[in-house]
Amino acid sequence: MITKEIIINKFKEIQSEICQKLEQLDTKSTFSVEPWQHHSGGGGITRVIQNGNIFEKGGVNFSAVEGTLPDKIKNALKVEETAFFATGISIVIHPENPFHPIIHMNIRYFELADGTYWFGGGIDLTPIYVDANEAKFFHTELKKVCDEFDSSFYPKFKTWADNYFFIDHRNETRGIGGVFFDRLNDKSTALTKEKIFDFVCKLGLSFAPTYIKIIENKGLNPNCSPDNKKWQYVRRGRYVEFNLVYDKGTKFGLDTNGRTESILMSMPPQANWVYNFQVLPSSNESFTQENLKKDIQWI
Amino acid sequence: MITKEIIINKFKEIQSEICQKLEQLDTKSTFSVEPWQHHSGGGGITRVIQNGNIFEKGGVNFSAVEGTLPDKIKNALKVEETAFFATGISIVIHPENPFHPIIHMNIRYFELADGTYWFGGGIDLTPIYVDANEAKFFHTELKKVCDEFDSSFYPKFKTWADNYFFIDHRNETRGIGGVFFDRLNDKSTALTKEKIFDFVCKLGLSFAPTYIKIIENKGLNPNCSPDNKKWQYVRRGRYVEFNLVYDKGTKFGLDTNGRTESILMSMPPQANWVYNFQVLPSSNESFTQENLKKDIQWI
């Protein structure tokens, strides 16, 4: 029997393990530890790393909160019950070097007082410079975790990520996608609650080794030019646009009066907006721009 | 009889006059001129200044578009008719120096095929460092324009601005406010359509002299420290948050598939997010933070 307490404890454990592994890679900065309370019940532990060797700014947030759904969210979720419990880990990492991609990971569990529950989550990668080999490796690692549980998961969740991490007003994806899923339970899948929980945890635990390997493959400190940095700041601006205009987790957090600093730890340390920025033809930037679209099979 | 054409021509004239005056002050950079077409009819002229002596990035946008309201907006506006015409000028200026405030101005006219119309608009100031004298001058200038038409306008529109330019998740106002109004017509005010149009134009024309005076009062290039710049980037981050999370004009533009670069010309050239940024007690930054609240009578 998977109880809230079991999920909470396991998620906290995963949070610690991820922070420890990222600190080992960074060697300079460590994660702060900030416990906080939610006004309507529960709370969380926000862990942030800033100004590291590798990580310019990164947050690994754990939360477990109780509350009442505002009407807006209740209607959006199409549920009747309003007393909710939600727990999850949410990560966004902004590396300093433009050749190291931004990454996001989230695993979450949601339960209503009437017993309805579901798991959700995802991992997606936002390279400043798209690299087909890196994208292939990343998607292969995700597929491995998915395939262990259900061979339909990867193709389904990959498409879901393409559609979810999409910046409509730019007509471009946020990055090269990954997996995204929501409302997984014993009715919507062929798995038991225990199995889905296991899947979500394994996905969460795959985050650190996969991301660390991606960084090591690029080298810890690849050479970069001022133009590379400029492009990084522009791409980060798009990341801000996605998170503030479209991201459901951000909206949910702000709409339920969550802790703003924990919700917006996903914001990059610096972002720039240049009016009508155009990439040069046949440049690495234009290769990236051309690959910010749905339905690319990276594997 | 105030026709669409009269409004369009006057708004274009105001756009030109404002750009000319700001260029005279800047002396280094000039406004680009970019005409564009809207997919559903009409278009606009986007004028942007970048990397000037005074203005790091500023946009003065004119648009006059026709289209069909998406359901979402139709419901939000509580109207039946969906065929619309909208024209307006929208300005956001991000000066380079942290002692020069960010400013925003918008005047707009909206009409439905069934004859319903209204004017809206506003001017508000977002100082990086709040200065009581500057705030008093700014509000006094706005009040003068309002009082010429209706003595109830300034107090009403000042409160409206306090409520509109509010960053809920930060529990702070965007800046020191100004005036904001919407849905002004011969039913909602004691004025004729001609008079309201006149008010809106006079407000638009007051923008450049008022803003230029504010900058001249501070000096064209006041000394600033790296800490002043850091604070400026943090404040600009809040500006981004307001525009992408709350601003109705931005939402309207994005939801009606407007020209993204024209809508998001309001984004600052650079913004930073520092996790859990805290101002020092008794600093100029803390004075600013304390004054980012509603209902301050600056005059």
Side-chain angles (χ1 to χ4, degrees), chain B residues 18-57:
Chain B
I18 289 171
C19 290
Q20 201 190 345
K21 289 193 167 159
L22 296 180
E23 282 175 351
Q24 272 169 19
L25 182 75
D26 193 83
T27 68
K28 182 180 164 197
S29 283
T30 56
F31 280 90
S32 62
V33 186
E34 201 136 20
W36 49 268
Q37 305 294 314
H38 193 270
H39 64 97
S40 64
I45 306 165
T46 293
R47 304 200 58 182
V48 171
I49 191 167
Q50 290 190 104
N51 307 313
N53 274 330
I54 309 285
F55 306 120
E56 189 174 342
K57 186 175 173 218

Short mmCIF file of all heavy atoms in Angstrom, two decimals, chain B residues 18-57:
data_model
loop_
_atom_site.label_atom_id
_atom_site.label_comp_id
_atom_site.label_asym_id
_atom_site.label_seq_id
_atom_site.Cartn_x
_atom_site.Cartn_y
_atom_site.Cartn_z
N ILE B 18 6.23 61.46 -30.67
CA ILE B 18 6.92 60.89 -29.50
C ILE B 18 8.31 60.39 -29.89
O ILE B 18 9.30 60.70 -29.22
CB ILE B 18 6.08 59.76 -28.88
CG1 ILE B 18 4.84 60.34 -28.19
CG2 ILE B 18 6.90 58.94 -27.88
CD1 ILE B 18 3.82 59.33 -27.72
N CYS B 19 8.40 59.68 -30.99
CA CYS B 19 9.70 59.14 -31.41
C CYS B 19 10.69 60.27 -31.68
O CYS B 19 11.86 60.20 -31.28
CB CYS B 19 9.56 58.28 -32.66
SG CYS B 19 8.70 56.72 -32.32
N GLN B 20 10.20 61.31 -32.34
CA GLN B 20 11.06 62.44 -32.67
C GLN B 20 11.62 63.08 -31.40
O GLN B 20 12.81 63.37 -31.30
CB GLN B 20 10.20 63.44 -33.45
CG GLN B 20 10.97 64.41 -34.28
CD GLN B 20 10.05 65.50 -34.81
OE1 GLN B 20 8.80 65.37 -34.78
NE2 GLN B 20 10.63 66.60 -35.27
N LYS B 21 10.76 63.29 -30.42
CA LYS B 21 11.20 63.93 -29.18
C LYS B 21 12.18 63.06 -28.40
O LYS B 21 13.13 63.57 -27.80
CB LYS B 21 9.99 64.27 -28.30
CG LYS B 21 9.18 65.41 -28.89
CD LYS B 21 8.18 65.97 -27.91
CE LYS B 21 7.66 67.30 -28.44
NZ LYS B 21 6.37 67.69 -27.87
N LEU B 22 11.92 61.77 -28.37
CA LEU B 22 12.84 60.89 -27.64
C LEU B 22 14.20 60.81 -28.35
O LEU B 22 15.24 60.78 -27.71
CB LEU B 22 12.23 59.49 -27.47
CG LEU B 22 10.95 59.40 -26.62
CD1 LEU B 22 10.45 57.96 -26.54
CD2 LEU B 22 11.15 59.95 -25.21
N GLU B 23 14.18 60.81 -29.67
CA GLU B 23 15.44 60.80 -30.43
C GLU B 23 16.25 62.06 -30.16
O GLU B 23 17.48 62.00 -30.03
CB GLU B 23 15.16 60.72 -31.94
CG GLU B 23 14.78 59.31 -32.42
CD GLU B 23 14.39 59.28 -33.89
OE1 GLU B 23 14.23 60.37 -34.51
OE2 GLU B 23 14.21 58.17 -34.43
N GLN B 24 15.55 63.19 -30.09
CA GLN B 24 16.24 64.46 -29.79
C GLN B 24 16.97 64.38 -28.46
O GLN B 24 18.06 64.92 -28.30
CB GLN B 24 15.24 65.61 -29.74
CG GLN B 24 14.98 66.26 -31.08
CD GLN B 24 13.79 67.21 -31.04
OE1 GLN B 24 13.40 67.66 -29.97
NE2 GLN B 24 13.24 67.52 -32.19
N LEU B 25 16.36 63.71 -27.48
CA LEU B 25 16.99 63.59 -26.17
C LEU B 25 18.16 62.62 -26.23
O LEU B 25 19.22 62.86 -25.65
CB LEU B 25 15.97 63.10 -25.14
CG LEU B 25 16.51 62.97 -23.71
CD1 LEU B 25 16.67 64.35 -23.07
CD2 LEU B 25 15.61 62.10 -22.85
N ASP B 26 17.97 61.52 -26.93
CA ASP B 26 18.99 60.47 -26.92
C ASP B 26 20.26 60.88 -27.67
O ASP B 26 21.36 60.56 -27.26
CB ASP B 26 18.42 59.16 -27.51
CG ASP B 26 19.35 58.00 -27.21
OD1 ASP B 26 19.25 57.45 -26.09
OD2 ASP B 26 20.21 57.67 -28.06
N THR B 27 20.07 61.56 -28.79
CA THR B 27 21.14 62.04 -29.69
C THR B 27 22.01 60.94 -30.34
O THR B 27 22.67 61.21 -31.34
CB THR B 27 22.10 63.09 -29.03
OG1 THR B 27 22.88 62.45 -28.02
CG2 THR B 27 21.32 64.26 -28.45
N LYS B 28 22.02 59.73 -29.81
CA LYS B 28 22.88 58.69 -30.40
C LYS B 28 22.08 57.75 -31.32
O LYS B 28 22.39 57.62 -32.49
CB LYS B 28 23.55 57.88 -29.30
CG LYS B 28 24.50 56.79 -29.82
CD LYS B 28 25.13 56.03 -28.66
CE LYS B 28 25.75 54.71 -29.12
NZ LYS B 28 25.99 53.81 -27.98
N SER B 29 21.06 57.10 -30.76
CA SER B 29 20.31 56.12 -31.55
C SER B 29 19.00 56.72 -32.06
O SER B 29 18.49 57.69 -31.52
CB SER B 29 19.99 54.89 -30.70
OG SER B 29 21.13 54.08 -30.57
N THR B 30 18.49 56.09 -33.11
CA THR B 30 17.20 56.53 -33.63
C THR B 30 16.25 55.32 -33.69
O THR B 30 16.69 54.18 -33.58
CB THR B 30 17.34 57.12 -35.05
OG1 THR B 30 17.96 56.14 -35.87
CG2 THR B 30 18.16 58.39 -35.04
N PHE B 31 14.99 55.61 -33.86
CA PHE B 31 13.99 54.56 -33.93
C PHE B 31 13.96 53.92 -35.32
O PHE B 31 13.87 54.63 -36.32
CB PHE B 31 12.60 55.14 -33.63
CG PHE B 31 12.32 55.34 -32.17
CD1 PHE B 31 12.64 56.55 -31.55
CD2 PHE B 31 11.76 54.33 -31.41
CE1 PHE B 31 12.39 56.74 -30.19
CE2 PHE B 31 11.51 54.52 -30.06
CZ PHE B 31 11.82 55.73 -29.44
N SER B 32 14.02 52.60 -35.35
CA SER B 32 13.78 51.88 -36.60
C SER B 32 12.31 52.03 -36.95
O SER B 32 11.49 52.40 -36.10
CB SER B 32 14.12 50.40 -36.42
OG SER B 32 13.26 49.85 -35.44
N VAL B 33 11.97 51.75 -38.20
CA VAL B 33 10.57 51.83 -38.63
C VAL B 33 10.21 50.52 -39.31
O VAL B 33 10.77 50.20 -40.35
CB VAL B 33 10.34 52.98 -39.64
CG1 VAL B 33 8.85 53.12 -39.96
CG2 VAL B 33 10.90 54.29 -39.12
N GLU B 34 9.34 49.75 -38.70
CA GLU B 34 9.01 48.45 -39.25
C GLU B 34 7.50 48.29 -39.42
O GLU B 34 6.79 48.01 -38.47
CB GLU B 34 9.52 47.37 -38.30
CG GLU B 34 9.70 46.04 -38.94
CD GLU B 34 11.04 45.45 -38.47
OE1 GLU B 34 11.55 45.90 -37.43
OE2 GLU B 34 11.55 44.57 -39.16
N PRO B 35 7.02 48.48 -40.66
CA PRO B 35 5.58 48.27 -40.88
C PRO B 35 5.31 46.77 -40.98
O PRO B 35 6.16 46.03 -41.46
CB PRO B 35 5.33 48.92 -42.25
CG PRO B 35 6.64 49.47 -42.70
CD PRO B 35 7.71 48.84 -41.90
N TRP B 36 4.16 46.34 -40.49
CA TRP B 36 3.84 44.91 -40.55
C TRP B 36 2.34 44.74 -40.78
O TRP B 36 1.54 45.64 -40.51
CB TRP B 36 4.29 44.18 -39.28
CG TRP B 36 3.88 44.85 -37.99
CD1 TRP B 36 4.61 45.77 -37.29
CD2 TRP B 36 2.65 44.68 -37.26
NE1 TRP B 36 3.93 46.19 -36.17
CE2 TRP B 36 2.72 45.52 -36.11
CE3 TRP B 36 1.52 43.89 -37.44
CZ2 TRP B 36 1.68 45.60 -35.18
CZ3 TRP B 36 0.49 43.98 -36.51
CH2 TRP B 36 0.58 44.82 -35.39
N GLN B 37 1.99 43.57 -41.27
CA GLN B 37 0.59 43.25 -41.55
C GLN B 37 0.09 42.25 -40.53
O GLN B 37 0.84 41.36 -40.13
CB GLN B 37 0.45 42.61 -42.95
CG GLN B 37 1.02 43.44 -44.08
CD GLN B 37 0.25 44.72 -44.28
OE1 GLN B 37 -0.98 44.71 -44.30
NE2 GLN B 37 0.96 45.85 -44.41
N HIS B 38 -1.16 42.37 -40.13
CA HIS B 38 -1.76 41.37 -39.25
C HIS B 38 -2.46 40.32 -40.11
O HIS B 38 -3.05 40.67 -41.13
CB HIS B 38 -2.75 42.04 -38.29
CG HIS B 38 -3.18 41.17 -37.15
ND1 HIS B 38 -4.26 40.35 -37.20
CD2 HIS B 38 -2.63 40.98 -35.92
CE1 HIS B 38 -4.40 39.70 -36.05
NE2 HIS B 38 -3.41 40.07 -35.25
N HIS B 39 -2.36 39.05 -39.70
CA HIS B 39 -2.90 37.97 -40.53
C HIS B 39 -4.39 38.12 -40.81
O HIS B 39 -4.89 37.71 -41.83
CB HIS B 39 -2.62 36.60 -39.91
CG HIS B 39 -3.30 36.42 -38.58
ND1 HIS B 39 -4.49 35.76 -38.45
CD2 HIS B 39 -2.97 36.86 -37.35
CE1 HIS B 39 -4.86 35.79 -37.20
NE2 HIS B 39 -3.96 36.44 -36.50
N SER B 40 -5.13 38.75 -39.87
CA SER B 40 -6.58 38.82 -40.09
C SER B 40 -7.06 40.18 -40.60
O SER B 40 -8.25 40.40 -40.76
CB SER B 40 -7.32 38.45 -38.80
OG SER B 40 -7.04 39.39 -37.79
N GLY B 41 -6.12 41.09 -40.85
CA GLY B 41 -6.51 42.40 -41.38
C GLY B 41 -5.84 43.53 -40.65
O GLY B 41 -5.67 43.49 -39.44
N GLY B 42 -5.41 44.55 -41.39
CA GLY B 42 -4.74 45.68 -40.78
C GLY B 42 -3.28 45.36 -40.51
O GLY B 42 -2.70 44.47 -41.12
N GLY B 43 -2.71 46.11 -39.57
CA GLY B 43 -1.30 45.92 -39.28
C GLY B 43 -0.80 47.01 -38.36
O GLY B 43 -1.58 47.54 -37.56
N GLY B 44 0.46 47.34 -38.50
CA GLY B 44 0.99 48.35 -37.61
C GLY B 44 2.35 48.84 -38.03
O GLY B 44 2.87 48.46 -39.08
N ILE B 45 2.89 49.73 -37.23
CA ILE B 45 4.24 50.23 -37.43
C ILE B 45 4.96 50.11 -36.09
O ILE B 45 4.57 50.77 -35.12
CB ILE B 45 4.25 51.71 -37.87
CG1 ILE B 45 3.36 51.92 -39.10
CG2 ILE B 45 5.68 52.18 -38.14
CD1 ILE B 45 3.02 53.38 -39.36
N THR B 46 5.96 49.25 -36.05
CA THR B 46 6.73 49.09 -34.82
C THR B 46 7.99 49.93 -34.94
O THR B 46 8.70 49.86 -35.94
CB THR B 46 7.08 47.61 -34.59
OG1 THR B 46 5.86 46.91 -34.34
CG2 THR B 46 8.00 47.44 -33.39
N ARG B 47 8.23 50.73 -33.92
CA ARG B 47 9.43 51.57 -33.93
C ARG B 47 10.22 51.27 -32.67
O ARG B 47 9.71 51.39 -31.56
CB ARG B 47 9.03 53.04 -34.01
CG ARG B 47 8.14 53.31 -35.24
CD ARG B 47 8.14 54.76 -35.62
NE ARG B 47 9.50 55.20 -35.88
CZ ARG B 47 9.85 56.46 -36.19
NH1 ARG B 47 8.92 57.38 -36.27
NH2 ARG B 47 11.11 56.78 -36.41
N VAL B 48 11.46 50.88 -32.88
CA VAL B 48 12.29 50.45 -31.75
C VAL B 48 13.60 51.21 -31.74
O VAL B 48 14.20 51.45 -32.79
CB VAL B 48 12.54 48.93 -31.82
CG1 VAL B 48 13.57 48.49 -30.79
CG2 VAL B 48 11.24 48.17 -31.60
N ILE B 49 14.03 51.59 -30.55
CA ILE B 49 15.34 52.22 -30.37
C ILE B 49 16.15 51.28 -29.49
O ILE B 49 15.62 50.71 -28.53
CB ILE B 49 15.19 53.64 -29.77
CG1 ILE B 49 16.50 54.42 -29.81
CG2 ILE B 49 14.65 53.59 -28.33
CD1 ILE B 49 16.32 55.93 -29.52
N GLN B 50 17.41 51.05 -29.83
CA GLN B 50 18.25 50.16 -29.03
C GLN B 50 19.64 50.76 -28.88
O GLN B 50 20.14 51.41 -29.80
CB GLN B 50 18.36 48.77 -29.67
CG GLN B 50 17.07 47.98 -29.61
CD GLN B 50 17.20 46.50 -30.02
OE1 GLN B 50 17.20 45.61 -29.19
NE2 GLN B 50 17.27 46.23 -31.31
N ASN B 51 20.25 50.50 -27.71
CA ASN B 51 21.63 50.90 -27.46
C ASN B 51 21.90 52.39 -27.67
O ASN B 51 22.91 52.77 -28.25
CB ASN B 51 22.59 50.07 -28.33
CG ASN B 51 22.34 48.58 -28.15
OD1 ASN B 51 22.23 48.11 -27.02
ND2 ASN B 51 22.21 47.85 -29.24
N GLY B 52 20.99 53.21 -27.21
CA GLY B 52 21.17 54.65 -27.29
C GLY B 52 22.01 55.16 -26.12
O GLY B 52 22.48 54.39 -25.28
N ASN B 53 22.18 56.48 -26.08
CA ASN B 53 22.84 57.10 -24.93
C ASN B 53 22.00 56.94 -23.67
O ASN B 53 22.51 56.66 -22.61
CB ASN B 53 23.01 58.61 -25.17
CG ASN B 53 24.27 58.92 -25.94
OD1 ASN B 53 25.26 58.20 -25.82
ND2 ASN B 53 24.24 59.99 -26.73
N ILE B 54 20.71 57.17 -23.83
CA ILE B 54 19.78 57.15 -22.70
C ILE B 54 18.96 55.88 -22.72
O ILE B 54 18.74 55.25 -21.70
CB ILE B 54 18.79 58.35 -22.79
CG1 ILE B 54 19.50 59.69 -23.00
CG2 ILE B 54 17.86 58.38 -21.58
CD1 ILE B 54 20.19 60.25 -21.80
N PHE B 55 18.49 55.53 -23.90
CA PHE B 55 17.54 54.44 -24.03
C PHE B 55 18.25 53.15 -24.44
O PHE B 55 18.73 53.02 -25.56
CB PHE B 55 16.44 54.80 -25.03
CG PHE B 55 15.77 56.10 -24.69
CD1 PHE B 55 15.79 57.18 -25.57
CD2 PHE B 55 15.15 56.27 -23.45
CE1 PHE B 55 15.18 58.39 -25.24
CE2 PHE B 55 14.55 57.48 -23.11
CZ PHE B 55 14.56 58.54 -24.00
N GLU B 56 18.28 52.20 -23.52
CA GLU B 56 18.93 50.93 -23.85
C GLU B 56 18.03 50.14 -24.79
O GLU B 56 18.51 49.48 -25.71
CB GLU B 56 19.20 50.13 -22.56
CG GLU B 56 20.07 48.91 -22.81
CD GLU B 56 20.46 48.20 -21.52
OE1 GLU B 56 20.35 48.81 -20.42
OE2 GLU B 56 20.83 47.02 -21.60
N LYS B 57 16.73 50.22 -24.55
CA LYS B 57 15.77 49.56 -25.44
C LYS B 57 14.41 50.18 -25.23
O LYS B 57 13.94 50.30 -24.08
CB LYS B 57 15.71 48.06 -25.12
CG LYS B 57 14.84 47.26 -26.08
CD LYS B 57 14.90 45.77 -25.78
CE LYS B 57 13.90 45.02 -26.64
NZ LYS B 57 13.28 43.91 -25.90
#
